[in-house]
Amino acid sequence: MFLYPKDIKEKLEFNKIIDYISKECLSEMGREYFSQIEILTDLPRIERLIIETDEYKKSLERGEHLPLSHFQSITADVALVRKEGYVLDIDSIRNIYRIVSLGLELTKYFQDPEKAKFNPLINEIVSNIIIDKALTNEIDRVLDDEGDVKPNASEELLKISKSIKSKERELDKVFNDELENLKNKGFLVDTLESLRNGRRVLTVAVEHKRKIPGIIHDESATGKTVYIEPERVITINHEVYNLYAERRHEIYKILRALCAFIRPYADALLVVQHTLVKLDTIRAKAKFAYRVNAGKPYIQQKPTFGLKTAYNPVLVIKNEASAAPVIPFDIELHGNNRILVLSGPNAGGKSVALKSVGLLQMMLQSGMLVTADENSKMGIFSKIFVDIGDQQSLEDDLSTYSSHLRNMRITCEEADKNTLILIDEFGSGTDPKIGGAIAEAILNDLNHKKVFGVITTHYSNLKFYAFKAHGIVNGSMEFDKQHLLPTFRMHIGKPGSSFAYEIAEKIGLDARIVTYAQHKTGKNEKAIDDMLISLMSEKKEYEDKLTSLIDKQDRLDKLIFSYEQMNADLDIKRKKIKLQAKEQVAISVMDQNKEMQKILKEIKHSKDEEKALQTSIKLKKKQEEALKELESLKMEVFAKEISTSQEKLVVGSHARMRNGTSSGEILSIDKNMAEIQMGFIKLKVPIIELIAIKEPIEIKSKKSVQTNVTKYESVDTKIDIREYTKSDALNLLQNFMDRALMNNVYELKIIHGIGTGVMKNEVKKMLKQYKDVREIWHPEPEQGGEGVTLVRF
């Protein structure tokens, strides 16, 4: 990935995003990952990182809490414990214990099939944790909940611990006896006792110090008090001190044995740590995404831009306290319009929009969710060039404009079709005519290199060039002329005015000065600007009409095809109705035949054989005619049905018998006959008796081949049916639900608005028709409340 200049992260404020996310990390290793985060160009890797983050974010939205908390690095500790005979300190062992405990808690958490089902990628990451429970059992046997060695960690330590308690009780009794005795004699000062050098001592008035046998440990600053350890407790204190020394030695032996037990698990411990750090980074990105309401866009390898309802996450954080709104924008850059020339008033939001484009691209290519609608489309760039702000360099002895030109030289030399350029105030810093001409020449060169980018400017020649050139489109930041205030809304398709005179009048600049400036500018400049805006408006209008006509033509073609299909279906239905009527006639003829048989028997009994023969011939002829007509109509209907069917009867396709449910694969076709394999049986049947069907699912599953390739399909998980009529909204919702079910989506988000509640009730009524819907609920008010319905399958 080629990024220019070296401080590009600061210029786009990507470093602030890193700071926000780092604060969510639970480990120093997680923070180190973000401090050195890589901007990627490998699409599968980017998609994997983004899908992992999106999965974790959805778990947060469901209110799930993975058992993940703060932990320390054990890399250095594992390196030391690998050395034979090395003994780690208690803190290091505590850190190892912490890592192992978290790993086992996560493993246990995902033993719940429901948790594993809703978090497949996180579960896959956790599945790398393979560690013996015996390790935690051994550490549990040695250390208590506070991380200290248990008194019963060994028989010898238990014996020493009991001896220490016994001696300390004896010490307390002897010391208290001495204290009470000397207190009664009046040898002690008010505080009675103190602690010096780790030992209990008596606070004795200096004039009585020679009356008390013992060791003087200290005296007060005034010299009026001395601190004496009574002779009777000195021996006991020595014994207690020696016992503590023995205890330390025994603890060392226990820890050495524990380290020897841990040593074989060194590699497994590092795997657990690596897994925890990965989960920590995913969690931090998901927490930040949840905070700024970021989502997963559609991503493709080739460079493209299709941001919808996008906004700057830094502004969201900045405005959290004041609850000020952040105005979103839409921007679409593709093959026909790759470069946006953005113009408009100062402080109107041009630079913020430009930075937002670069920032969101950097976030995407580092594996983060972006603050844009989930239906946005984004591509991958291999080079990003930025020229924002004052580029003056004292070290290189370059002026601001010279620095801009140097950046443009490097950009022109290195840029290609996979490049994103972001240039603020293009051409400024020198004589407007010369600066504008050079800027136009650079823009022309970059356009021929087919780069993508956003450029902000006030120069009319650049706006006019964008109007003429193929591949470049004008854009503007909206300005409220009535109140002379920017609205921060972006409009693609027409250039904007700087509104310099209007702003000058608003801030109170003397009217004489403004009038003089307008006179110096001349009418032509203003007229050209107005004409360009008018031309761009007309061009945009014609382009919109052309798009609308193309869309209408497409819809008309679909309607014609649909009509023809419906007409064919109607024809088939009519013939089927006629066929059913003829079948009824045939059945009636057969019934009449039974009646006539009775009549013939009666005639035979009356010896009138000639009459019986004539009656029999008429009846047989009538029956043959009905059956022939029935068969002809049946052939016509079935032939029509086969010709209009989307599934064709060919060798290798699947079909079922028209008068049954048995199905099989067509092995061969000879004229009007087909050989079909049904299970273990081969049959030859007329083609007219077969109906083409799709390949059965169980056959597909047998043919499937396992691979190591992971495929991530982009399926909509959110739909907005506001501003649609009820019937249109319900049709859209039905198609949306069907697609979700076919793609095994677990959760859906339906935005219908609050209103009178009619649409909400219609949505719930439709959802109840789906037996696969497991749960329907509304999110928290800040996530949409009653205006949003969440569905879980």
Side-chain angles (χ1 to χ4, degrees):
M1 182 70 183
F2 188 93
L3 300 173
Y4 183 85
K6 59 184 178 182
D7 61 345
I8 185 172
K9 292 181 180 179
E10 287 73 23
K11 289 189 177 298
L12 295 176
E13 297 187 315
F14 183 68
N15 60 317
K16 290 184 179 179
I17 300 296
I18 295 299
D19 289 342
Y20 294 139
I21 295 176
S22 295
K23 288 175 183 176
E24 301 286 355
C25 289
L26 298 169
S27 67
E28 190 58 40
M29 292 170 288
R31 286 184 279 275
E32 286 175 11
Y33 167 83
F34 286 111
S35 68
Q36 302 168 9
I37 195 164
E38 184 182 358
I39 309 300
L40 308 168
T41 56
D42 180 20
L43 179 60
R45 191 176 167 194
I46 292 169
E47 281 188 323
R48 173 78 187 203
L49 291 171
I50 286 175
I51 294 171
E52 287 170 350
T53 307
D54 188 54
E55 185 175 284
Y56 204 117
K57 177 181 168 248
K58 285 178 179 173
S59 76
L60 294 175
E61 291 171 347
R62 291 192 297 268
E64 295 178 13
H65 298 285
L66 270 70
L68 193 61
S69 52
H70 293 276
F71 59 94
Q72 303 291 326
S73 172
I74 60 168
T75 305
D77 299 324
V78 170
L80 291 172
V81 85
R82 287 181 190 274
K83 298 176 181 178
E84 195 68 36
Y86 192 89
V87 180
L88 296 173
D89 57 38
I90 290 285
D91 287 338
S92 296
I93 295 173
R94 283 177 189 151
N95 291 337
I96 289 174
Y97 179 71
R98 179 74 180 150
I99 292 280
V100 174
S101 298
L102 286 173
L104 291 174
E105 283 177 35
L106 284 164
T107 303
K108 184 179 178 182
Y109 180 84
F110 281 105
Q111 285 174 355
D112 181 348
E114 198 75 5
K115 299 286 193 301
K117 178 182 176 182
F118 284 108
N119 304 282
L121 295 181
I122 306 299
N123 179 41
E124 184 183 324
I125 293 168
V126 172
S127 66
N128 292 318
I129 298 174
I130 302 171
I131 198 157
D132 195 341
K133 187 81 167 60
L135 181 56
T136 51
N137 291 340
E138 181 63 16
I139 298 175
D140 272 333
R141 188 188 68 78
V142 173
L143 302 182
D144 61 19
D145 293 338
E146 300 298 321
D148 297 320
V149 176
K150 292 179 179 178
N152 61 346
S154 72
E155 291 183 8
E156 183 62 25
L157 184 62
L158 182 60
K159 180 181 174 183
I160 293 169
S161 298
K162 287 179 178 179
S163 298
I164 288 172
K165 285 184 179 179
S166 174
K167 282 296 176 184
E168 285 180 339
R169 283 196 296 270
E170 182 185 347
L171 178 64
D172 287 343
K173 184 178 182 304
V174 172
F175 187 88
N176 290 336
D177 288 346
E178 282 290 301
L179 186 146
E180 193 65 31
N181 179 37
L182 295 173
K183 177 185 172 185
N184 292 334
K185 291 179 178 181
F187 291 172
L188 306 180
V189 297
D190 292 341
T191 53
L192 300 181
E193 69 171 291
S194 184
L195 198 67
R196 289 292 184 275
N197 301 323
R199 299 194 178 197
R200 289 176 72 185
V201 293
L202 299 169
T203 54
V204 181
V206 68
E207 61 268 23
H208 301 299
K209 68 178 181 179
R210 297 192 183 279
K211 299 174 185 177
I212 302 171
I215 298 172
I216 297 174
H217 281 271
D218 198 3
E219 65 178 26
S220 66
T222 60
K224 293 180 179 181
T225 305
V226 291
Y227 301 96
I228 299 175
E229 181 182 5
E231 188 177 45
R232 286 180 61 194
V233 301
I234 292 173
T235 304
I236 303 172
N237 259 330
H238 282 316
E239 290 176 1
V240 171
Y241 179 81
N242 290 334
L243 283 171
Y244 271 106
E246 289 178 27
R247 183 177 180 275
R248 284 193 297 274
H249 181 68
E250 182 61 24
I251 287 174
Y252 180 82
K253 285 169 60 181
I254 292 167
L255 293 180
R256 184 172 62 186
L258 181 58
C259 288
F261 190 90
I262 293 171
R263 192 165 292 117
Y265 296 98
D267 291 332
L269 289 171
L270 292 179
V271 170
V272 177
Q273 177 179 258
H274 176 76
T275 303
L276 293 181
V277 172
K278 185 169 181 61
L279 290 175
D280 185 22
T281 58
I282 294 171
R283 174 189 172 277
K285 289 189 292 182
K287 292 271 284 184
F288 177 75
Y290 183 76
R291 182 181 178 185
V292 297
N293 197 28
K296 176 175 71 69
Y298 291 107
I299 313 170
Q300 59 187 59
Q301 183 66 59
K302 69 176 185 178
T304 189
F305 258 111
L307 293 174
K308 297 179 180 178
T309 323
Y311 50 92
N312 193 307
V314 176
L315 281 181
V316 174
I317 303 293
K318 180 185 174 184
N319 292 353
E320 274 182 343
S322 62
V326 177
I327 308 299
F329 64 90
D330 294 352
I331 179 171
E332 188 168 356
L333 299 176
H334 46 74
N336 295 329
N337 294 318
R338 291 171 285 96
I339 301 174
L340 172 65
V341 174
L342 194 58
S343 51
N346 286 315
K350 298 191 302 297
S351 297
V352 172
L354 177 139
K355 281 185 177 182
S356 299
V357 168
L359 178 59
L360 295 183
Q361 191 64 39
M362 295 269 282
M363 288 173 66
L364 179 87
Q365 291 190 224
S366 59
M368 300 178 192
L369 299 175
V370 298
T371 47
D373 188 273
E374 291 181 349
N375 292 316
S376 298
K377 293 180 181 178
M378 297 181 74
I380 305 300
F381 294 92
S382 58
K383 298 176 182 179
I384 301 178
F385 292 88
V386 170
D387 187 49
I388 299 173
D390 187 0
Q391 302 287 322
Q392 188 171 20
S393 173
L394 296 176
E395 290 180 1
D396 298 331
D397 194 24
L398 291 173
S399 68
T400 299
Y401 186 67
S402 298
S403 295
H404 283 305
L405 285 180
R406 181 186 62 180
N407 291 342
M408 290 305 98
R409 175 182 62 79
I410 294 170
T411 302
C412 290
E413 288 173 356
E414 300 290 341
D416 56 31
K417 64 180 181 179
N418 296 316
T419 298
L420 173 66
I421 60 163
L422 303 165
I423 307 172
D424 194 26
E425 300 295 348
F426 195 27
S428 64
T430 189
D431 181 280
K433 287 188 177 180
I434 298 172
I438 293 174
E440 185 178 326
I442 292 170
L443 181 57
N444 179 62
D445 183 68
L446 292 172
N447 187 35
H448 280 100
K449 291 178 183 289
K450 299 190 181 301
V451 304
F452 285 74
V454 178
I455 291 169
T456 69
T457 187
H458 290 286
Y459 289 169
S460 296
N461 69 306
L462 294 182
K463 301 176 196 177
F464 187 67
Y465 178 77
F467 170 67
K468 293 190 304 176
H470 182 74
I472 307 177
V473 63
N474 271 301
S476 61
M477 301 306 294
E478 186 180 88
F479 189 77
D480 185 350
K481 294 181 182 179
Q482 184 177 353
H483 299 96
L484 296 177
L485 288 171
T487 64
F488 305 109
R489 290 187 176 88
M490 184 191 294
H491 293 287
I492 306 294
K494 64 177 182 179
S497 171
S498 64
F499 294 99
Y501 295 133
E502 291 83 352
I503 294 170
E505 289 174 351
K506 181 178 182 292
I507 64 172
L509 195 63
D510 194 305
R512 292 181 299 103
I513 298 173
V514 175
T515 305
Y516 182 84
Q518 288 175 330
H519 176 72
K520 291 298 289 182
T521 306
K523 294 181 180 179
N524 289 340
E525 189 75 23
K526 177 69 175 171
I528 290 170
D529 212 26
D530 290 342
M531 184 182 69
L532 182 59
I533 292 172
S534 176
L535 284 171
M536 284 302 298
S537 297
E538 290 177 11
K539 182 184 177 185
K540 181 72 167 60
E541 185 182 347
Y542 290 137
E543 286 176 349
D544 289 344
K545 285 182 178 178
L546 180 61
T547 304
S548 177
L549 284 171
I550 292 170
D551 183 53
K552 286 178 180 177
Q553 182 64 46
D554 186 47
R555 288 169 60 194
L556 182 61
D557 290 342
K558 288 178 181 177
L559 283 170
I560 291 170
F561 176 77
S562 178
Y563 169 77
E564 289 174 348
Q565 190 72 32
M566 287 172 65
N567 193 39
D569 290 344
L570 190 61
D571 190 33
I572 291 170
K573 284 178 182 176
R574 279 199 298 266
K575 289 183 178 178
K576 279 188 175 180
I577 290 169
K578 192 175 177 182
L579 177 62
Q580 288 170 359
K582 290 294 181 183
E583 284 177 341
Q584 289 297 321
V585 170
I587 291 168
S588 176
V589 169
M590 296 299 289
D591 290 340
Q592 290 175 13
N593 187 32
K594 290 177 183 177
E595 292 296 323
M596 289 303 299
Q597 290 298 331
K598 291 180 182 178
I599 295 169
L600 284 171
K601 284 182 182 179
E602 293 174 3
I603 293 172
K604 282 181 180 179
H605 285 305
S606 63
K607 306 296 183 179
D608 194 350
E609 293 184 2
E610 183 63 29
K611 185 179 179 181
L613 181 62
Q614 291 298 322
T615 304
S616 176
I617 290 170
K618 285 180 181 179
L619 183 63
K620 189 173 182 181
K621 186 177 180 182
K622 186 177 180 181
Q623 183 179 347
E624 285 176 352
E625 285 175 355
L627 291 173
K628 187 176 180 182
E629 188 177 355
L630 178 65
E631 191 64 28
S632 174
L633 186 58
K634 187 188 291 185
M635 293 289 284
E636 185 180 351
V637 171
F638 292 166
K640 182 77 173 177
E641 194 172 30
I642 290 170
S643 67
T644 58
S645 174
Q646 291 183 352
E647 301 289 336
K648 299 300 179 183
L649 293 169
V650 293
V651 175
S653 66
H654 287 75
R656 68 172 175 82
M657 299 295 291
R658 191 174 293 278
N659 296 322
T661 57
S662 300
S663 64
E665 183 182 354
I666 297 175
L667 301 177
S668 64
I669 295 176
D670 183 14
K671 295 182 180 178
N672 295 323
M673 298 295 289
E675 185 179 23
I676 185 168
Q677 179 82 47
M678 292 186 177
F680 297 103
I681 302 170
K682 290 182 181 178
L683 296 175
K684 283 195 174 182
V685 294
I687 289 178
I688 206 78
E689 294 296 334
L690 296 175
I691 297 175
I693 61 170
K694 291 183 178 179
E695 185 179 1
I697 294 171
E698 60 270 18
I699 294 175
K700 286 183 181 179
S701 62
K702 289 177 184 177
K703 293 180 180 178
S704 64
V705 180
Q706 289 188 346
T707 68
N708 293 323
V709 179
T710 305
K711 182 180 178 184
Y712 303 101
E713 293 188 4
S714 295
V715 182
D716 284 345
T717 59
K718 181 176 80 171
I719 187 172
D720 189 344
I721 56 174
R722 293 174 295 182
E723 299 181 2
Y724 285 92
T725 62
K726 188 171 83 172
S727 60
D728 287 344
L730 293 178
N731 284 334
L732 283 170
L733 181 59
Q734 184 176 6
N735 292 332
F736 175 68
M737 292 287 290
D738 293 343
R739 283 198 306 274
L741 282 167
M742 285 190 290
N743 286 280
N744 294 322
V745 175
Y746 293 120
E747 279 193 5
L748 296 176
K749 183 176 183 180
I750 303 166
I751 304 170
H752 45 68
I754 298 174
T756 59
V758 173
M759 187 58 75
K760 179 180 77 173
N761 294 332
E762 289 296 329
V763 167
K764 283 189 176 179
K765 193 186 295 182
M766 174 172 280
L767 293 175
K768 287 178 181 176
Q769 296 174 11
Y770 287 84
K771 64 179 182 179
D772 294 296
V773 172
R774 178 183 170 193
E775 189 178 358
I776 303 169
W777 79 101
H778 299 295
E780 295 297 325
E782 59 268 21
Q783 296 293 325
E786 294 289 317
V788 174
T789 295
L790 300 176
V791 184
R792 183 178 294 163
F793 291 106

